[in-house]
Amino acid sequence: MALNKTLRYIGISCLFLLPLLALIVSTSLFFPYITGKNFIFRLLVEIAFVCWAILAFRDTNYRPRWRSPIVIAVSLFMVIMFFADLFGENFYKSFWSNFERMEGYITFLHLWALFFVASSLLNSRKLWNRLFHLIFAIGIVLGFVGLYQHFHSGIERIDATLGNSTYLGALMIFNIFLLLIYMMRAVRSRSANWKWISGGYVLAIIFDFYILLLTGTRSALLGVGGGFVLIAIVFAFSKKEEKVIRYAGRSLLGLIVVALVFIVAFQNTPLIKNHSSFSRLTEPVDALLTGHIKEYAESGAGGGGRLLIWGAALKGFEARPILGWGQENFNYIFNFYYTPAMYGQEQWFDRAHNVFLDWLTQGGILGLLSYLAMFGILIYALWKKRNSDFNLEEKAILTGLLIAYFIHNFFVFDSITSYILFFSMMAYINRVQFEHIHAVRNHRTIHPDVANFALAPIVVIVAICALWFGVYRPYVASAALIQALLDEQSGNVGAIYSDFQRALIPHTFGSAEAREQILLVLPAVASDQNLDVGTKTKIITFAENQMDDQLKRTPNDARYFLFYGYALDHVGDQDSLKKANGYLVKALSLSPAKQSIMFELGLNYLAQGDNNDSLNILKKAYDSAPSYDEAHTTYAMTLIYTGHFAEAKNLLQGADMTVLNDDRLLKAYFIAKQYQSAIDIYHARQAASSSDPQNYLGAAGFYMVMGQSNAAILEIQKLEKVHPEYLSQLDGYISQIRAGKNPLPIK
């Protein structure tokens, strides 16, 4: 039938366009590496799904086998996560996500649809072969983009067009193992050109492995190593009649041993040490060999931050063990279970950086078990004895791929590119093992009129609604938001009002991020001298109305209370300061240990003249982590502003140079007229960095303010000895000072 052929052709074409998403970077959209890929992913999957659904109504051969263990596992996962999201902290965000991630239940609905469409429409090995080779080609293109980044732009950890090196690492995992399958098939085929063909696959594997090394993604490399070990063991202990396979397995084991010896032997050579991507891979080996693995694990390089985040994730699981907090709600866990030791990490984690802990917190124990069940069922499907559609090598390699992906996921989170590959792989295994094209199907037939004039229109209407709310409207909002930010950067502040109005059209999942961004530009609006009062008032009122709505939607999210308080603090008037205080107090109640909130609240108290509350909250921030330079600086600065000069001096004695190099201390001393204390800081800077001219000119400037011109001249003369090339200019300064003038900027 012509219609069926057309629908099938369109559906398959959409599937073949999906691998190309990895190449898309949408600079006209907010989060250019994320949003463009995801919008087009949704568009293609929805078109493919409509074609497949109408085909399934018209022809029973395109309907899924619901008794397939893989279908059951994927569907069970989707059902459990629906209820986890429904009863989670914020169902709207769980369902729609945001521009930064664009995951949520809506994306998994599309991945679920992708699984069924690919299982049904790609019904021959020829089609799957073409799809996989397209994926290989895209991987090669990404590899060359990465090489350009590395050798032309000097980027150590390449990410190509994916925006994150771990995303590229995950893609290379799939490519390496799938290429290995086709290499083995070429060897087995013994066709006329099998040596050339297998050699081509070998070169592609080597290339992809080199690209993986350049990503510096240790989890991906560890995963590949684990997958190869499993493959080697299976091959090495294969049946007696499989001599070639046994020899290949033993050779692979030998190669792995040689690689490990190479890493140990050359880890301290310049070749490794001077290359950040390679040194990242050898650092844990060095720590293990030297007995410093505990120290390494707790350090920043060893993922010390991850250990802290994982601890918070486990506490979040303990609070909601059955169904978790729902997707996209890890930020609530991170905020509430934040510990002072996390100060050196990103302040707004929305992932546990461990896929399994992510599903444990998002879906509770049921969510994690349903996610793990997909891996278990896939391995069962590969090795079940009654089926021989995969030979030994293919079973071993596909299992190795699953193991590699599994290990990789212990230290990262997924992206749309790896999700597409994983769900496509599940569809492939399901197709080969359970969805045979000649399998007997006992589906009920549907009357053509019902299929064509009742069910098909319903599917089309649902798809149009999905496109409207899930693609078109958020696309418009994302484009308007990036335009608003461009207008603010170019100084066209007056235009941002209309930009944000378009970015904040009702009922789009990007509204929260747009509201956050308008808060960030609000200080620029308030301070813009070229903007008339009416426009300022209009923008500020618009921002406040939007944030009031946001806080009603997310009453337990500390982030928005802090950002709102920060914006109001920087508007500057007393009414705004008082209003900001309430939001900052609320933010601290939602994240009691977060120092960044304490800083803003303490400075808010200071601006209102409440010195005692300011000092108390900032001392608490400092005492919670004395090694935190920002806490050290902020507390010392506030002591100066409030007249506690002796305490400030004691606090700054022996302080880290990062603290002493902060000019906010100098500003505070200048305002407090403690000029000698500012000079003492400059002298400490001179001792630490004798070549910086500003350390001498700054001290000289403060001496001039104190009326000590001779001391100022001595500072300039010290600078002449350090930088004789500036002699004529500095002699000019000295001449002006002796003439009773002050040529220095501090006055």
Side-chain angles (χ1 to χ4, degrees), residues 26 28-31 34-36 38-40 42-43 46 92 95-100 102-103 106-107 110 464-483 499 502-514:
S26 304
S28 62
L29 299 177
F30 199 52
F31 289 105
I34 303 296
T35 46
N38 279 272
F39 284 138
I40 298 176
R42 294 179 183 183
L43 174 66
E46 287 167 18
Y92 185 87
F95 188 88
W96 290 107
S97 186
N98 57 19
F99 286 141
E100 183 177 7
M102 284 196 70
E103 290 186 16
I106 183 69
T107 291
H110 285 78
I464 291 173
C465 292
L467 284 170
W468 179 258
F469 290 104
V471 178
Y472 176 72
R473 286 171 64 84
Y475 173 86
V476 171
S478 180
L481 179 53
I482 200 69
Q483 185 59 50
D499 293 332
R502 287 184 291 115
L504 285 159
I505 54 177
H507 311 302
T508 67
F509 56 83
S511 294
E513 285 161 310

Side-chain angles (χ1 to χ4, degrees), residues 31-96:
F31 289 105
Y33 292 102
I34 303 296
T35 46
K37 291 178 176 65
N38 279 272
F39 284 138
I40 298 176
F41 164 72
R42 294 179 183 183
L43 174 66
L44 292 174
V45 169
E46 287 167 18
I47 294 172
F49 179 79
V50 168
C51 294
W52 166 72
I54 296 174
L55 272 174
F57 293 145
R58 294 165 58 87
D59 187 340
T60 59
N61 286 321
Y62 292 100
R63 298 180 198 172
R65 293 175 63 86
W66 293 104
R67 293 184 180 181
S68 159
I70 300 177
V71 170
I72 293 172
V74 176
S75 301
L76 180 63
F77 170 75
M78 292 298 299
V79 170
I80 289 174
M81 288 313 303
F82 173 78
F83 286 104
D85 292 342
L86 182 64
F87 297 110
E89 181 67 29
N90 184 344
F91 175 70
Y92 185 87
K93 189 178 180 185
S94 293
F95 188 88
W96 290 107

Side-chain angles (χ1 to χ4, degrees), residues 186 189-199:
S189 70
R190 289 297 195 273
S191 62
N193 298 317
W194 73 271
K195 292 182 179 180
W196 290 102
I197 295 172
S198 59

Side-chain angles (χ1 to χ4, degrees), residues 200-243:
Y201 288 127
V202 170
L203 289 176
I205 291 170
I206 294 172
F207 178 80
D208 285 351
F209 190 79
Y210 178 62
I211 296 301
L212 175 58
L213 286 174
L214 290 182
T215 68
T217 309
R218 291 174 291 200
S219 56
L221 190 69
L222 183 63
V224 170
F228 275 16
V229 168
L230 182 137
I231 293 169
I233 292 173
V234 172
F235 282 12
F237 294 96
S238 60
K239 296 179 181 180
K240 291 182 179 180
E241 58 268 22
E242 299 282 359
K243 290 183 180 180

Side-chain angles (χ1 to χ4, degrees), residues 315 331-342 347-348 556-559 561-562 583-599 601 616-625:
K315 290 180 181 178
N331 58 306
Y332 292 99
I333 298 171
F334 177 74
N335 288 337
F336 191 75
Y337 296 105
Y338 181 96
T339 63
M342 294 177 180
Q347 291 298 291
W348 303 106
N556 297 319
D557 195 334
R559 179 186 180 99
F561 285 96
L562 172 61
Y583 294 122
L584 294 171
V585 169
K586 177 65 174 179
L588 190 59
S589 71
L590 294 171
S591 186
K594 185 168 285 190
Q595 297 99 329
S596 58
I597 301 176
M598 296 182 196
F599 298 155
L601 180 57
N616 287 338
I617 196 70
L618 293 175
K619 185 177 187 302
K620 179 181 177 182
Y622 171 74
D623 289 341
S624 70

Side-chain angles (χ1 to χ4, degrees), residues 20 23 25 38 45 145 152 231 248 261 308 312 348 379 487 530 534 553 587 623 642 676:
L20 299 174
L23 302 175
V25 179
N38 279 272
V45 169
V145 174
H152 182 268
I231 293 169
V261 171
L308 295 171
W348 303 106
I379 293 174
D487 284 337
N530 298 319
R553 295 172 181 272
D623 289 341
T642 55
Q676 185 58 53

Side-chain angles (χ1 to χ4, degrees), residues 125-166:
R125 283 216 170 189
K126 183 178 180 180
L127 284 171
W128 281 106
N129 290 343
R130 289 177 176 175
L131 179 62
F132 287 142
H133 280 78
L134 176 59
I135 292 171
F136 300 155
I138 297 300
I140 297 297
V141 172
L142 290 172
F144 279 108
V145 174
L147 290 178
Y148 179 84
Q149 287 181 324
H150 183 69
F151 291 106
H152 182 268
S153 304
I155 297 174
E156 292 290 342
R157 296 190 62 195
I158 62 174
D159 55 23
T161 57
L162 300 181
N164 189 314
S165 55
T166 60

Side-chain angles (χ1 to χ4, degrees), residues 164-191:
N164 189 314
S165 55
T166 60
Y167 299 164
L168 183 58
L171 188 145
M172 289 303 156
I173 288 176
F174 283 91
N175 277 16
I176 287 169
F177 284 90
L178 292 174
L179 281 164
L180 189 58
I181 286 178
Y182 282 92
M183 185 204 76
M184 296 298 293
R185 286 181 182 174
V187 172
R188 266 190 177 273
S189 70
R190 289 297 195 273
S191 62

